[in-house]
Amino acid sequence: MGEFEVHRVRFFSYVPAGVRCLAYHRRTDRLALARTDGAVEVYNFAANYFQEKAIPGHEARTVEALCWAAGDRLFGAGLGGDISEYDLERLRVKRSVDGFGGPIWSMAANAGGTRLAIGCEDGSVKLFHVVPDGVQFERNLDRQQGRVLCLSWHPSETHIAAGSVDLLRVLDVGSGRTVQRIMVNYHVQKSKKRECVVWSVAFLSSGTVVSSDSFGRLQFWDWERGTLLESHTVSTSAVLSLAVSEKEDSIVVGTSAGATYQFQLLPVKMGSQDKHWVRTKPFQHHTHDVRAVAHSPTALISGGLDAQLVIRPLMEKMQKKGYEAVLRKFTFPHRRLVSSARKARLLLFQFSQHLELWKLGSTDESGKDGEVLPVCRAPEHLVQLKSKGPEHIYCSCVSPCGSWIAYSTASRFHLYRAQYEGDGVSIKKVANVPKLLLPAYQLQCSADSGSLFVASDQGSVHVLQLLEPGGCKHLHTLRPPSGTLEAVYLLASSADGNWLAAASGDWEIHIYSLKRFKHHCTVPMYSCAVTALAIHPVTNNLVIAYSDQQLFEFSIPEKQYTAWSRTVQNSGLHRAWLERDSPITHIAFNPKNPSHILLHDVYMFCVLDKSLPLPDDSASLMNQSALKQLPETARKRQLHAFKICKKFQPLLFADLLDENCLVMVERPIMDIKTQLPPPIQQKKFGT
Amino acid sequence: MAALCEGFTLCGLGPSGGVGLGAGVLALEPGPDSDHVLLTDRGRTATLFKVSDQKPLGCWSVKHGQIITCPVVCNFETHEYIAVHDDKVLRIWKDEDVNLDKVFKATLSADVYRIHSLPHGEPLVLFRGGGVRTLDVLLEAPQQEIENFISDEVIKWSEAFLEGQEPILIFATEKDGDYFIYVQKFKLNILHKYKLEQQELSNPLSFTAYIKNQIITLLCLYSNGSVYKVLIPLQRHSEEEEQILSKSLLLKLLVSGSVLKGTSFAVLDKDHVAVLGSLTAFGEESKECLTIWNTKFQTLQTSKELPLGTSGQLWCYGEKFFFTHGKVLTVIIYKCETSSLAAAVGKLKDSQTSDVSSFINWNALSDEELVDSLQSQQSVALKSESKMTLRSRRNSVAKVQPDTLTVGQLLLDIKDSSSAAIEDELKQLLSKPQMPDFQATIGCVITALINRCKTDPVFYPRNFLVQLIQKRELSYSLCPDLMAVALEKKDVHLLQICLQWFPDIPEEITYACLKVFLSISDDYLERTDVNLESVICYIDIESNNKEVKTEIVENGFNAELEEDSCDIIFTKETHVKNDGEFCPVGPQKAALLNAVLHSAYSETFLLPHLKDLPAQQAVLFLRYLHYLYVKSSEKITTALPGVLSPTINQIMDWMCLLLDAHFTVMVMLPEAKGLLSSLHKFVRAQVRFYSELNKIEGSLQELQRLKRQKDSQTYSIEVLELI
């Protein structure tokens, strides 16, 4: 089909933040996750584990605990001392209430989701009512010495277990009194006595309190008598987190050595009523502290400081072996952090609080497949733009010509004009940008670099006109006719400047005519989240990738799916394609070859050739290496539409710069690991 | 469920174009490739088609005035085409030949009815008079005289099979409303003639047949819309002149009350037949249709109407139907899945449901009960059967059928009849169609036989037993005494196949077999019939003579090792004899021991028995295992060639077991010393070799890591080719 000159970029020094806490919501099958930089993400398990919401972090707003309460409202609390409610439609903090107890270390919602208990630095446990417009302080429970690190409600909502240093307390919610105090380091010899931190507690309906502590123990207590029922030494390092299944027959714990363990309540003998907690399954998916675990009905979920989210389905809960029972590991966000200026050969990298602009190198030689060409001009780091203030960057973009750079934080929108003189570059901030409703969730420049599209909330898109030598004007705001509360998170504009497609959080895709600033049509609703969008420069077909790995092609002029798209749906995509576990995050086209669609996810890059037949399940999807061994004449019969290359991994961005020049931005896991603090030293046999 | 896919046209048959010039199709035969068919029309032309491409690959025709009288077939061995025109003139040509006038020609002395080409055999030529010749015999002397068996009978249909290596030809003839079936066994040059039981007011229209387990199953489509099944055993026991073949109703072609008048049909698999015919509903015009029927459930599975009419001919090759529809030759692909009641009600789970029934313990029932229960079952079965075929049997009720022998009768016979008589009855039993409780029947028959064997030392129906075991319907628990009797009689062949086919032999019996095999002398075994399949590939029987001694050590490991090893004590012995070099047992014994190695066992249960093995036999067995071990290590795959040869894991497991069981004995026994030391050396050499491999693996891994490091630069421009 063709040879490409691939610019293999590994200088995007992005380090994802570690996972701090997790909250699984059973009813909607969603997982909320908070990172150490304060970012909050929501994964939709039903939509193939897609990261459907991401709220960027904030320097001053660490999140120590997340809770789903009052249906599907998400609350977070952190060392800032505030309880915040997140707006999952507009992707920002809706409102915050001061806890008045100093830094908040822990928060727990009762079974009904009507009340929140927080554990504070000053040793108090405070109750808040969840009311329609936020939370309302209800009362203080008994205050004690020492910060309250963990909390758990009894399912009957009458008692709360609270863990702090060396101590475990049970509080009566009605009277507010401490009804039981348990010293957790009671059994330890005096001489060896160190501080024992209770990192996590769970209150079971049987009246058993489960605690995990810094001595590496998982202990079961009878709260009424204050006696130890069972004690399991899990690890030599601390057990940082624990979660109990809804049926209370399984517990997952995470340790600071990166291991997770499952405990199960099993009968001592077959058929016997006498049950014990038994450590059943060890897993070592993380290299660093597992700060958060969650237990869904079918899977163990763990998040570590190594930034990985691991979902380990339990085989015994699965109906059958197969794709559903496969381990999932997520390290990178499901959206793109890189944008490229094709004509100018620039890459813009988005970090949490700054942007980097790089110019790609070049070569003047060519070669055969697999060869590394000598670089005659090295890549150049042109500019670093630091965002001021504590807010993290939501989105950014560079125009195709490279002369406009825009980014947005929660409350501010910045536009820069870059001028290239020889080897130098000068950046000038565009003053008087229009006052828009912020934040912007996605920014996109038109192909001619003449306008900028700003994705905003309530399904709206602002169209800004970029003016030389450095100005901009608000032209129009496009709104969906039906109206929605969800923000737009993906944009695609056509090369001829006629069309704009926008996907919002309710998975609807609206297409607007830019000539008339009018709503053109809506793409038929599909029951899964949109992960990438692009409009073909020649045919004006909109190519859509969904999180269940389906691909659709929608003809904008004809307002219907194309014939090819229908064929794909009729014959179905290859099973190996559907069973990939990372979403397509970017789609590009080759203007010289209109039948080609370029797609990529974290683990592969694919050129989809629509002119070739689709592979059926009996054929191998990844057939490139097999094809390379065949003689030219024999290849023809083996060809199919998917040309997949897995050489570049993990792939954060891939784009076509010109006809036969690709750029691939990789971020090797090893490079991230070296940026992390050293993990706990473990003696390994033979070292 | 069976299903018919959308059809497509292979070629037109009209006078305007295509083939046949309107005269119709004589026959369709499979071509040289699985996707090819050869179409012969009723005129001068034969055409080869590639079905999937719907295009002709070649076309040959004879001169004007000549006419092809016998369908063109392909000789699969030589890729030649064979045709007969004007009844007597044989032509043979290849793909590249264009003009049939210029190809090989032979004029025969008699009229040819048909030529049958078999996948792995010489084509058979059937003459109108019933004579059969293979093609090469015929070509040696084309003018040879061909005998006429059937005077004025007319051949209606013929078919050829391969049973084992033997070609078998079956054909049906008709004379004055009587139908005769001839079976020609070619190797033995035996021709059997049978008369087909008559059917009132109806005559056969079409035949088809298949062969399974030495029985020809002939299916006949009658003009009254029924399909009958006739079983013809290949071994004919009575030497009557003309045996009458009784038939049983297989299927009644009834579609919602009206009869499907079939014209042609084909067997798809063991439960499905396809019928092409016309259906006349009451008061309506008849319409032709293609149908697939399930014979097990007697149901119509699918049908397709053919409004343009057909010629009544249907061919079926490789999951495709071929028939003329209007003026075109149509191809329809069908799918036929094994049907079960579960599938019919939509409860099919994808699990193996076979093999379940082979573990019934019939010991639980006493003999009398068995006879009773079986007789009652039999009578029920008979009743139901007779209800179904009442009309067909009515005329023959008066005659006592010789083969309605009940199992109960047989069981009584086994107790006291002569062995020849019993064997005859048993053969009949085996040649009968599948009974509903075949397994149960076989179970009690075999129990009765074994009981007779126990009481009567002369009685031993060995061949029958071997045949039964090879049917794979038996298990140890079904007839626990069988192996005991075989052990007593030292019938090693029977034991070998028992070990091969029974899944549930207790360790005690496995051990007993092992002991018997080791104790029997090689000279005795040479005279017995043992299946040598598992050893033939690696024991060189000729050079296994112990007198021949070679100096060269063949095995790569040993040669190096001898120089390498530092223990001088044993070098003398290794010079004298290398244990890994010769097979210490004869091929027959080796094959028997392999059967033991192959059988399933549990270590815990086997070990106590193995301890009882006499020391000499243990050493011999260990020697043989050592030999196998050395042999299998010669190849990099560490596998022995051939079918059913023991795997390296089986060899190692048995070796460990044997050493565990006889550790002290081996230490004490002087003759084991050499063997053990050579075994030790060989194992040590292997361990060293594998540790070397480990080192190589380590260095290769390091290389891999280096390569990865090279990757780790932050920017490169590479070339990527996507095909």
Side-chain angles (χ1 to χ4, degrees), chain B residues 1-5 267-274 292-294 301-302 319 321 333-339:
Chain B
M1 280 293 282
L4 290 169
C5 301
V267 178
L268 308 183
D269 63 16
K270 72 178 187 1
D271 293 329
H272 292 93
V273 294
I292 296 183
W293 298 76
N294 185 322
Q301 297 262 298
T302 180
E319 307 230 317
F321 291 123
I333 298 176
Y334 68 88
K335 288 201 181 70
C336 217
E337 279 154 31
T338 323
S339 45

PDB file of all heavy atoms in Angstrom, chain B residues 1-5 267-274 292-294 301-302 319 321 333-339:
ATOM      1  N   MET B   1     -30.190 -27.825  12.619  1.00  0.00           N
ATOM      2  CA  MET B   1     -31.196 -27.716  11.566  1.00  0.00           C
ATOM      3  C   MET B   1     -30.510 -27.584  10.212  1.00  0.00           C
ATOM      4  O   MET B   1     -29.463 -26.982  10.082  1.00  0.00           O
ATOM      5  CB  MET B   1     -32.045 -26.464  11.803  1.00  0.00           C
ATOM      6  CG  MET B   1     -33.114 -26.634  12.845  1.00  0.00           C
ATOM      7  SD  MET B   1     -34.395 -27.777  12.382  1.00  0.00           S
ATOM      8  CE  MET B   1     -35.381 -26.786  11.265  1.00  0.00           C
ATOM      9  N   ALA B   2     -31.183 -28.133   9.262  1.00  0.00           N
ATOM     10  CA  ALA B   2     -30.658 -27.991   7.908  1.00  0.00           C
ATOM     11  C   ALA B   2     -31.228 -26.729   7.281  1.00  0.00           C
ATOM     12  O   ALA B   2     -32.306 -26.295   7.648  1.00  0.00           O
ATOM     13  CB  ALA B   2     -31.059 -29.201   7.077  1.00  0.00           C
ATOM     14  N   ALA B   3     -30.482 -26.161   6.394  1.00  0.00           N
ATOM     15  CA  ALA B   3     -30.963 -24.939   5.750  1.00  0.00           C
ATOM     16  C   ALA B   3     -30.457 -24.878   4.334  1.00  0.00           C
ATOM     17  O   ALA B   3     -29.358 -25.349   4.029  1.00  0.00           O
ATOM     18  CB  ALA B   3     -30.491 -23.723   6.522  1.00  0.00           C
ATOM     19  N   LEU B   4     -31.260 -24.296   3.469  1.00  0.00           N
ATOM     20  CA  LEU B   4     -30.862 -24.099   2.081  1.00  0.00           C
ATOM     21  C   LEU B   4     -30.496 -22.638   1.893  1.00  0.00           C
ATOM     22  O   LEU B   4     -31.233 -21.744   2.333  1.00  0.00           O
ATOM     23  CB  LEU B   4     -32.029 -24.441   1.153  1.00  0.00           C
ATOM     24  CG  LEU B   4     -32.403 -25.919   1.067  1.00  0.00           C
ATOM     25  CD1 LEU B   4     -33.720 -26.074   0.337  1.00  0.00           C
ATOM     26  CD2 LEU B   4     -31.323 -26.702   0.348  1.00  0.00           C
ATOM     27  N   CYS B   5     -29.363 -22.400   1.286  1.00  0.00           N
ATOM     28  CA  CYS B   5     -28.977 -21.015   1.034  1.00  0.00           C
ATOM     29  C   CYS B   5     -29.572 -20.572  -0.301  1.00  0.00           C
ATOM     30  O   CYS B   5     -30.160 -21.362  -1.025  1.00  0.00           O
ATOM     31  CB  CYS B   5     -27.468 -20.876   0.981  1.00  0.00           C
ATOM     32  SG  CYS B   5     -26.713 -21.410   2.496  1.00  0.00           S
ATOM     33  N   VAL B 267     -28.398 -38.650   0.018  1.00  0.00           N
ATOM     34  CA  VAL B 267     -28.166 -38.752   1.461  1.00  0.00           C
ATOM     35  C   VAL B 267     -27.177 -37.657   1.837  1.00  0.00           C
ATOM     36  O   VAL B 267     -26.140 -37.505   1.206  1.00  0.00           O
ATOM     37  CB  VAL B 267     -27.572 -40.131   1.820  1.00  0.00           C
ATOM     38  CG1 VAL B 267     -27.285 -40.206   3.303  1.00  0.00           C
ATOM     39  CG2 VAL B 267     -28.532 -41.212   1.429  1.00  0.00           C
ATOM     40  N   LEU B 268     -27.506 -36.879   2.851  1.00  0.00           N
ATOM     41  CA  LEU B 268     -26.618 -35.783   3.255  1.00  0.00           C
ATOM     42  C   LEU B 268     -25.731 -36.192   4.423  1.00  0.00           C
ATOM     43  O   LEU B 268     -24.537 -35.974   4.419  1.00  0.00           O
ATOM     44  CB  LEU B 268     -27.434 -34.555   3.637  1.00  0.00           C
ATOM     45  CG  LEU B 268     -28.463 -34.119   2.590  1.00  0.00           C
ATOM     46  CD1 LEU B 268     -29.146 -32.867   3.044  1.00  0.00           C
ATOM     47  CD2 LEU B 268     -27.800 -33.894   1.250  1.00  0.00           C
ATOM     48  N   ASP B 269     -26.310 -36.744   5.463  1.00  0.00           N
ATOM     49  CA  ASP B 269     -25.514 -37.302   6.556  1.00  0.00           C
ATOM     50  C   ASP B 269     -26.361 -38.380   7.202  1.00  0.00           C
ATOM     51  O   ASP B 269     -27.355 -38.804   6.637  1.00  0.00           O
ATOM     52  CB  ASP B 269     -25.067 -36.216   7.543  1.00  0.00           C
ATOM     53  CG  ASP B 269     -26.231 -35.540   8.237  1.00  0.00           C
ATOM     54  OD1 ASP B 269     -27.336 -36.095   8.192  1.00  0.00           O
ATOM     55  OD2 ASP B 269     -26.028 -34.457   8.797  1.00  0.00           O
ATOM     56  N   LYS B 270     -25.991 -38.812   8.400  1.00  0.00           N
ATOM     57  CA  LYS B 270     -26.659 -39.976   8.923  1.00  0.00           C
ATOM     58  C   LYS B 270     -28.128 -39.715   9.258  1.00  0.00           C
ATOM     59  O   LYS B 270     -28.896 -40.648   9.354  1.00  0.00           O
ATOM     60  CB  LYS B 270     -25.899 -40.553  10.109  1.00  0.00           C
ATOM     61  CG  LYS B 270     -25.964 -39.756  11.390  1.00  0.00           C
ATOM     62  CD  LYS B 270     -25.194 -40.534  12.419  1.00  0.00           C
ATOM     63  CE  LYS B 270     -25.245 -40.035  13.835  1.00  0.00           C
ATOM     64  NZ  LYS B 270     -25.985 -38.916  14.234  1.00  0.00           N
ATOM     65  N   ASP B 271     -28.491 -38.464   9.406  1.00  0.00           N
ATOM     66  CA  ASP B 271     -29.877 -38.173   9.750  1.00  0.00           C
ATOM     67  C   ASP B 271     -30.644 -37.421   8.668  1.00  0.00           C
ATOM     68  O   ASP B 271     -31.817 -37.164   8.849  1.00  0.00           O
ATOM     69  CB  ASP B 271     -29.934 -37.309  11.018  1.00  0.00           C
ATOM     70  CG  ASP B 271     -29.441 -38.071  12.215  1.00  0.00           C
ATOM     71  OD1 ASP B 271     -29.621 -39.299  12.218  1.00  0.00           O
ATOM     72  OD2 ASP B 271     -28.883 -37.456  13.128  1.00  0.00           O
ATOM     73  N   HIS B 272     -29.978 -37.017   7.608  1.00  0.00           N
ATOM     74  CA  HIS B 272     -30.664 -36.143   6.670  1.00  0.00           C
ATOM     75  C   HIS B 272     -30.639 -36.697   5.247  1.00  0.00           C
ATOM     76  O   HIS B 272     -29.607 -37.187   4.802  1.00  0.00           O
ATOM     77  CB  HIS B 272     -30.026 -34.753   6.664  1.00  0.00           C
ATOM     78  CG  HIS B 272     -30.244 -34.005   7.937  1.00  0.00           C
ATOM     79  ND1 HIS B 272     -29.345 -34.045   8.971  1.00  0.00           N
ATOM     80  CD2 HIS B 272     -31.258 -33.223   8.356  1.00  0.00           C
ATOM     81  CE1 HIS B 272     -29.793 -33.309   9.969  1.00  0.00           C
ATOM     82  NE2 HIS B 272     -30.955 -32.803   9.620  1.00  0.00           N
ATOM     83  N   VAL B 273     -31.778 -36.587   4.564  1.00  0.00           N
ATOM     84  CA  VAL B 273     -31.808 -36.868   3.138  1.00  0.00           C
ATOM     85  C   VAL B 273     -32.450 -35.683   2.425  1.00  0.00           C
ATOM     86  O   VAL B 273     -33.260 -34.964   3.015  1.00  0.00           O
ATOM     87  CB  VAL B 273     -32.587 -38.161   2.792  1.00  0.00           C
ATOM     88  CG1 VAL B 273     -31.900 -39.379   3.334  1.00  0.00           C
ATOM     89  CG2 VAL B 273     -34.005 -38.085   3.283  1.00  0.00           C
ATOM     90  N   ALA B 274     -32.033 -35.492   1.194  1.00  0.00           N
ATOM     91  CA  ALA B 274     -32.640 -34.440   0.386  1.00  0.00           C
ATOM     92  C   ALA B 274     -33.472 -35.113  -0.697  1.00  0.00           C
ATOM     93  O   ALA B 274     -33.038 -36.108  -1.275  1.00  0.00           O
ATOM     94  CB  ALA B 274     -31.568 -33.581  -0.244  1.00  0.00           C
ATOM     95  N   ILE B 292     -35.373 -31.002   2.390  1.00  0.00           N
ATOM     96  CA  ILE B 292     -34.428 -31.738   3.241  1.00  0.00           C
ATOM     97  C   ILE B 292     -35.215 -32.321   4.397  1.00  0.00           C
ATOM     98  O   ILE B 292     -35.991 -31.619   5.051  1.00  0.00           O
ATOM     99  CB  ILE B 292     -33.289 -30.834   3.760  1.00  0.00           C
ATOM    100  CG1 ILE B 292     -32.443 -30.330   2.599  1.00  0.00           C
ATOM    101  CG2 ILE B 292     -32.408 -31.598   4.739  1.00  0.00           C
ATOM    102  CD1 ILE B 292     -31.268 -29.487   3.007  1.00  0.00           C
ATOM    103  N   TRP B 293     -35.037 -33.603   4.642  1.00  0.00           N
ATOM    104  CA  TRP B 293     -35.799 -34.317   5.669  1.00  0.00           C
ATOM    105  C   TRP B 293     -34.862 -34.847   6.736  1.00  0.00           C
ATOM    106  O   TRP B 293     -33.758 -35.272   6.440  1.00  0.00           O
ATOM    107  CB  TRP B 293     -36.542 -35.497   5.048  1.00  0.00           C
ATOM    108  CG  TRP B 293     -37.550 -35.105   4.030  1.00  0.00           C
ATOM    109  CD1 TRP B 293     -37.300 -34.702   2.755  1.00  0.00           C
ATOM    110  CD2 TRP B 293     -38.966 -35.051   4.209  1.00  0.00           C
ATOM    111  NE1 TRP B 293     -38.476 -34.402   2.126  1.00  0.00           N
ATOM    112  CE2 TRP B 293     -39.520 -34.614   2.986  1.00  0.00           C
ATOM    113  CE3 TRP B 293     -39.811 -35.345   5.278  1.00  0.00           C
ATOM    114  CZ2 TRP B 293     -40.890 -34.460   2.823  1.00  0.00           C
ATOM    115  CZ3 TRP B 293     -41.166 -35.198   5.104  1.00  0.00           C
ATOM    116  CH2 TRP B 293     -41.706 -34.748   3.887  1.00  0.00           C
ATOM    117  N   ASN B 294     -35.369 -34.840   7.932  1.00  0.00           N
ATOM    118  CA  ASN B 294     -34.647 -35.475   9.023  1.00  0.00           C
ATOM    119  C   ASN B 294     -35.243 -36.853   9.231  1.00  0.00           C
ATOM    120  O   ASN B 294     -36.428 -36.989   9.504  1.00  0.00           O
ATOM    121  CB  ASN B 294     -34.796 -34.626  10.276  1.00  0.00           C
ATOM    122  CG  ASN B 294     -33.962 -35.166  11.406  1.00  0.00           C
ATOM    123  OD1 ASN B 294     -33.853 -36.363  11.573  1.00  0.00           O
ATOM    124  ND2 ASN B 294     -33.369 -34.281  12.165  1.00  0.00           N
ATOM    125  N   GLN B 301     -37.328 -30.574   7.159  1.00  0.00           N
ATOM    126  CA  GLN B 301     -36.502 -29.541   7.769  1.00  0.00           C
ATOM    127  C   GLN B 301     -36.588 -28.230   6.999  1.00  0.00           C
ATOM    128  O   GLN B 301     -36.690 -27.180   7.585  1.00  0.00           O
ATOM    129  CB  GLN B 301     -35.054 -29.996   7.821  1.00  0.00           C
ATOM    130  CG  GLN B 301     -34.853 -31.218   8.671  1.00  0.00           C
ATOM    131  CD  GLN B 301     -34.373 -30.868  10.042  1.00  0.00           C
ATOM    132  OE1 GLN B 301     -33.312 -30.299  10.203  1.00  0.00           O
ATOM    133  NE2 GLN B 301     -35.138 -31.179  11.049  1.00  0.00           N
ATOM    134  N   THR B 302     -36.499 -28.337   5.690  1.00  0.00           N
ATOM    135  CA  THR B 302     -36.596 -27.112   4.910  1.00  0.00           C
ATOM    136  C   THR B 302     -36.999 -27.485   3.498  1.00  0.00           C
ATOM    137  O   THR B 302     -36.828 -28.637   3.078  1.00  0.00           O
ATOM    138  CB  THR B 302     -35.263 -26.349   4.921  1.00  0.00           C
ATOM    139  OG1 THR B 302     -35.415 -25.172   4.162  1.00  0.00           O
ATOM    140  CG2 THR B 302     -34.139 -27.161   4.305  1.00  0.00           C
ATOM    141  N   GLU B 319     -21.530 -30.446  -0.192  1.00  0.00           N
ATOM    142  CA  GLU B 319     -22.460 -29.496   0.417  1.00  0.00           C
ATOM    143  C   GLU B 319     -23.140 -28.587  -0.592  1.00  0.00           C
ATOM    144  O   GLU B 319     -23.534 -27.473  -0.261  1.00  0.00           O
ATOM    145  CB  GLU B 319     -21.770 -28.649   1.495  1.00  0.00           C
ATOM    146  CG  GLU B 319     -21.062 -29.491   2.530  1.00  0.00           C
ATOM    147  CD  GLU B 319     -21.423 -29.108   3.956  1.00  0.00           C
ATOM    148  OE1 GLU B 319     -21.470 -27.907   4.217  1.00  0.00           O
ATOM    149  OE2 GLU B 319     -21.686 -30.007   4.751  1.00  0.00           O
ATOM    150  N   PHE B 321     -26.108 -28.676  -3.832  1.00  0.00           N
ATOM    151  CA  PHE B 321     -27.036 -29.395  -4.689  1.00  0.00           C
ATOM    152  C   PHE B 321     -26.924 -28.843  -6.101  1.00  0.00           C
ATOM    153  O   PHE B 321     -26.759 -27.634  -6.281  1.00  0.00           O
ATOM    154  CB  PHE B 321     -28.484 -29.177  -4.234  1.00  0.00           C
ATOM    155  CG  PHE B 321     -28.813 -29.815  -2.926  1.00  0.00           C
ATOM    156  CD1 PHE B 321     -29.295 -29.057  -1.883  1.00  0.00           C
ATOM    157  CD2 PHE B 321     -28.641 -31.171  -2.754  1.00  0.00           C
ATOM    158  CE1 PHE B 321     -29.605 -29.644  -0.675  1.00  0.00           C
ATOM    159  CE2 PHE B 321     -28.951 -31.763  -1.547  1.00  0.00           C
ATOM    160  CZ  PHE B 321     -29.430 -30.997  -0.506  1.00  0.00           C
ATOM    161  N   ILE B 333     -26.308 -24.131  -2.096  1.00  0.00           N
ATOM    162  CA  ILE B 333     -25.473 -24.600  -0.995  1.00  0.00           C
ATOM    163  C   ILE B 333     -26.387 -24.894   0.183  1.00  0.00           C
ATOM    164  O   ILE B 333     -27.341 -24.157   0.425  1.00  0.00           O
ATOM    165  CB  ILE B 333     -24.432 -23.534  -0.622  1.00  0.00           C
ATOM    166  CG1 ILE B 333     -23.532 -23.286  -1.824  1.00  0.00           C
ATOM    167  CG2 ILE B 333     -23.608 -23.968   0.571  1.00  0.00           C
ATOM    168  CD1 ILE B 333     -22.526 -22.204  -1.637  1.00  0.00           C
ATOM    169  N   TYR B 334     -26.128 -25.997   0.854  1.00  0.00           N
ATOM    170  CA  TYR B 334     -26.962 -26.287   2.027  1.00  0.00           C
ATOM    171  C   TYR B 334     -26.090 -26.417   3.249  1.00  0.00           C
ATOM    172  O   TYR B 334     -24.894 -26.654   3.157  1.00  0.00           O
ATOM    173  CB  TYR B 334     -27.774 -27.560   1.809  1.00  0.00           C
ATOM    174  CG  TYR B 334     -26.954 -28.826   1.748  1.00  0.00           C
ATOM    175  CD1 TYR B 334     -26.648 -29.540   2.902  1.00  0.00           C
ATOM    176  CD2 TYR B 334     -26.490 -29.310   0.536  1.00  0.00           C
ATOM    177  CE1 TYR B 334     -25.888 -30.696   2.837  1.00  0.00           C
ATOM    178  CE2 TYR B 334     -25.735 -30.455   0.477  1.00  0.00           C
ATOM    179  CZ  TYR B 334     -25.430 -31.149   1.622  1.00  0.00           C
ATOM    180  OH  TYR B 334     -24.679 -32.284   1.566  1.00  0.00           O
ATOM    181  N   LYS B 335     -26.727 -26.271   4.380  1.00  0.00           N
ATOM    182  CA  LYS B 335     -26.037 -26.494   5.658  1.00  0.00           C
ATOM    183  C   LYS B 335     -26.835 -27.540   6.387  1.00  0.00           C
ATOM    184  O   LYS B 335     -28.053 -27.498   6.417  1.00  0.00           O
ATOM    185  CB  LYS B 335     -25.994 -25.209   6.470  1.00  0.00           C
ATOM    186  CG  LYS B 335     -25.037 -24.206   5.907  1.00  0.00           C
ATOM    187  CD  LYS B 335     -24.642 -23.197   6.956  1.00  0.00           C
ATOM    188  CE  LYS B 335     -23.693 -22.172   6.381  1.00  0.00           C
ATOM    189  NZ  LYS B 335     -24.359 -21.279   5.423  1.00  0.00           N
ATOM    190  N   CYS B 336     -26.136 -28.471   6.962  1.00  0.00           N
ATOM    191  CA  CYS B 336     -26.826 -29.558   7.632  1.00  0.00           C
ATOM    192  C   CYS B 336     -26.141 -29.770   8.954  1.00  0.00           C
ATOM    193  O   CYS B 336     -24.988 -30.172   8.995  1.00  0.00           O
ATOM    194  CB  CYS B 336     -26.714 -30.787   6.753  1.00  0.00           C
ATOM    195  SG  CYS B 336     -28.156 -31.760   6.790  1.00  0.00           S
ATOM    196  N   GLU B 337     -26.836 -29.482  10.031  1.00  0.00           N
ATOM    197  CA  GLU B 337     -26.213 -29.681  11.331  1.00  0.00           C
ATOM    198  C   GLU B 337     -26.861 -30.875  11.996  1.00  0.00           C
ATOM    199  O   GLU B 337     -28.009 -31.200  11.745  1.00  0.00           O
ATOM    200  CB  GLU B 337     -26.396 -28.441  12.198  1.00  0.00           C
ATOM    201  CG  GLU B 337     -25.385 -27.375  11.850  1.00  0.00           C
ATOM    202  CD  GLU B 337     -25.903 -26.003  12.181  1.00  0.00           C
ATOM    203  OE1 GLU B 337     -26.670 -25.863  13.135  1.00  0.00           O
ATOM    204  OE2 GLU B 337     -25.535 -25.057  11.461  1.00  0.00           O
ATOM    205  N   THR B 338     -26.107 -31.513  12.851  1.00  0.00           N
ATOM    206  CA  THR B 338     -26.646 -32.656  13.564  1.00  0.00           C
ATOM    207  C   THR B 338     -27.848 -32.194  14.361  1.00  0.00           C
ATOM    208  O   THR B 338     -27.784 -31.202  15.076  1.00  0.00           O
ATOM    209  CB  THR B 338     -25.611 -33.218  14.536  1.00  0.00           C
ATOM    210  OG1 THR B 338     -24.356 -33.111  13.921  1.00  0.00           O
ATOM    211  CG2 THR B 338     -25.914 -34.635  14.889  1.00  0.00           C
ATOM    212  N   SER B 339     -28.916 -32.876  14.190  1.00  0.00           N
ATOM    213  CA  SER B 339     -30.106 -32.411  14.875  1.00  0.00           C
ATOM    214  C   SER B 339     -30.299 -33.216  16.139  1.00  0.00           C
ATOM    215  O   SER B 339     -29.939 -34.383  16.222  1.00  0.00           O
ATOM    216  CB  SER B 339     -31.294 -32.545  13.961  1.00  0.00           C
ATOM    217  OG  SER B 339     -31.269 -33.790  13.342  1.00  0.00           O
TER     218      SER B 339
END
